[in-house]
């Protein structure tokens, strides 16, 4: 029986923002139903203890997020949520005090990535208000600012980042500038269970991107897998369009899918440091783990 450090469970394919770094999905707009979610949890029980309520979409758009957390707790799961943070005020009472909630990841780069964003101070104030309360419940917090460009950032982009970082520095009484401490791709701890992570801009893999020699390594189906909102199982959280459709849990069990021939070929390929799927050959993330 394969076990995973985490499985991503997409609870909605819908988002309330249109960020420049996130291509819109061509999939049908969908929200997971509670019975379908419970079915997923039952199938995942032998495979993992940790679920991440995200692939595409904004999880806090789900009107029954509190019930999904209750169901997760009832079945013994710990939950991580990745959110753009814009809906945190509306959902704070649905999240605070939920024993299943292990970690909240706030994608702060969403604010500048969305053209219509206004009032940075108000946006961050609502998030920080939630964080202060969440600390009382031992929730881990990760602030993500994944908008560093590999080339030179413009002065306007640097200024906007600095405005965000200054607010965080003030909140946590830091006596240093965050940029001076952080290493791209690695977080720094600024308070108990609170981290700030800066990294280069996220690049979604696509079959339209050029392929390379396919060398590299990935943790797909070795330590993680993902389930899209319609039940489609994919190897990892980067396959936001379900290109590598391994099967659907509504027709075939999760256990059978992740032990299937295509899934095993992906794992065996990366054991040889070789991508066997066309999508994987067009994904830069495997380069992060060496060749």
């Amino acid at each position: 029986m394969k076990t995973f450090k985490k499985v991503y469970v997409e609870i909605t394919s819908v988002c309330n923002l249109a960020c420049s770094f996130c291509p819109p999905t061509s999939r049908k707009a969908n929200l997971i139903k509670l019975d379908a979610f419970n079915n997923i949890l039952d199938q995942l029980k032998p495979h993992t203890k940790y679920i991440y309520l995200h692939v595409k979409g904004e999880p806090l758009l789900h009107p029954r997020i509190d019930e999904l957390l209750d169901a997760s707790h009832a079945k013994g799961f710990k939950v991580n949520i990745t959110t753009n943070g814009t809906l945190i005020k509306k959902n704070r009472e649905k999240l605070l005090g939920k024993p299943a909630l292990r970690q909240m990841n706030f994608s702060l780069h969403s604010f500048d990535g969305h053209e219509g964003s206004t009032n940075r101070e108000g946006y961050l104030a609502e998030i920080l208000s939630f964080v202060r309360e969440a600390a009382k419940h031992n929730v881990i917090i990760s602030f993500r600012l994944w908008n560093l460009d590999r080339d030179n950032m413009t002065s306007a982009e640097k200024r906007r980042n600095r405005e965000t970082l200054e607010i965080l520095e003030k909140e946590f009484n830091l006596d240093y500038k965050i940029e001076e401490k952080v290493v791209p791709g690695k977080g720094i701890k600024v308070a108990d269970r609170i981290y700030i992570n800066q990294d280069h801009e996220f690049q979604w893999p696509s079959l339209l991107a050029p392929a390379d020699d396919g060398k590299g390594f990935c943790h797909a189906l070795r330590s993680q897998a993902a389930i899209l909102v319609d039940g489609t199982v994919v190897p990892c959280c980067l396959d936001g369009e379900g290109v590598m459709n391994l099967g659907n849990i509504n027709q075939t069990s999760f256990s059978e899918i992740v032990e299937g021939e295509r899934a095993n070929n992906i794992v065996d390929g990366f054991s040889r440091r070789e991508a066997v799927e066309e999508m994987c050959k067009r994904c830069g993330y495997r380069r992060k783990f060496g060749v």
Side-chain angles (χ1 to χ4, degrees):
M1 181 72 70
K2 284 184 179 175
T3 57
F4 302 97
K5 289 183 179 178
K6 57 193 173 187
V7 174
Y8 294 84
V9 180
E10 183 185 70
I11 59 173
T12 178
S13 58
V14 182
C15 189
N16 61 322
L17 300 184
C19 296
S20 58
F21 54 82
C22 190
T25 181
S26 59
R27 293 184 286 124
K28 178 184 176 182
N30 205 347
L31 286 168
I32 201 166
K33 291 183 170 56
L34 188 58
D35 58 348
F37 186 73
N38 273 305
N39 174 44
I40 290 174
L41 296 183
D42 288 337
Q43 294 197 41
L44 289 183
K45 232 177 176 182
H47 297 277
T48 192
K49 294 180 180 178
Y50 298 95
I51 57 174
Y52 288 49
L53 302 187
H54 184 66
V55 178
K56 281 286 191 78
E58 167 51 53
L60 298 191
L61 276 173
H62 201 293
R64 301 175 75 178
I65 185 72
D66 51 343
E67 295 177 54
L68 301 184
L69 287 169
D70 289 340
S72 301
H73 177 62
K75 295 181 186 293
F77 290 93
K78 289 295 184 181
V79 176
N80 286 25
I81 295 176
T82 297
T83 173
N84 59 43
T86 57
L87 302 174
I88 197 64
K89 182 178 181 179
K90 180 180 178 181
N91 286 277
R92 60 183 289 146
E93 300 309 320
K94 293 183 177 182
L95 300 171
L96 290 169
K98 292 297 184 184
L101 185 59
R102 172 183 176 270
Q103 180 168 331
M104 292 287 294
N105 303 316
F106 290 98
S107 298
L108 302 184
H109 47 280
S110 301
F111 183 86
D112 289 316
H114 178 69
E115 192 175 331
S117 295
T118 58
N119 189 9
R120 183 188 313 274
E121 292 77 11
Y123 164 73
L124 290 170
E126 292 297 348
I127 291 174
L128 291 171
S129 174
F130 173 86
V131 167
R132 291 181 209 115
E133 284 299 311
K136 300 174 184 177
H137 301 281
N138 297 325
V139 177
I140 300 167
I141 302 293
S142 174
F143 295 111
R144 296 176 172 181
L145 206 54
W146 290 0
N147 61 358
L148 301 180
D149 195 81
R150 295 186 186 278
D151 300 317
N152 292 328
M153 294 180 72
T154 67
S155 57
E157 288 170 331
K158 288 180 180 177
R159 187 185 70 252
R160 289 196 292 267
N161 269 5
R162 181 92 287 276
E163 290 169 358
T164 294
L165 294 174
E166 280 178 359
I167 291 172
L168 295 177
E169 289 161 2
K170 182 178 180 182
E171 173 70 18
F172 299 106
N173 298 311
L174 304 184
D175 59 0
Y176 56 85
K177 287 189 174 182
I178 290 168
E179 306 98 315
E180 297 169 356
K181 299 276 188 178
V182 75
V183 176
K186 295 183 179 180
I188 59 169
K189 186 175 182 179
V190 296
D192 186 32
R193 288 183 287 271
I194 299 178
Y195 302 84
I196 295 174
N197 183 292
Q198 280 196 282
D199 205 346
H200 299 289
E201 184 172 308
F202 185 85
Q203 296 292 327
W204 286 92
S206 166
L207 288 176
L208 300 177
D212 56 25
D213 61 7
K215 299 298 182 184
F217 179 78
C218 182
H219 294 282
L221 296 172
R222 192 180 302 269
S223 64
Q224 64 164 290
I227 304 173
L228 303 182
V229 68
D230 67 350
T232 298
V233 178
V234 292
C236 72
C237 63
L238 301 185
D239 188 3
E241 291 304 291
V243 172
M244 293 179 284
N245 183 343
L246 302 177
N248 193 293
I249 58 159
N250 297 311
Q251 285 88 45
T252 309
S253 73
F254 181 81
S255 298
E256 188 176 341
I257 290 170
V258 297
E259 292 287 1
E261 182 180 3
R262 189 176 183 185
N264 285 328
N265 285 341
I266 292 170
V267 175
D268 292 344
F270 281 124
S271 294
R272 304 187 303 268
R273 301 300 191 265
E274 177 185 328
V276 298
E277 292 278 344
E278 287 302 312
M279 179 73 111
C280 299
K281 294 175 183 177
R282 290 161 169 79
C283 178
Y285 262 68
R286 60 190 154 80
R287 294 286 182 178
K288 289 191 170 189
F289 307 112
V291 294

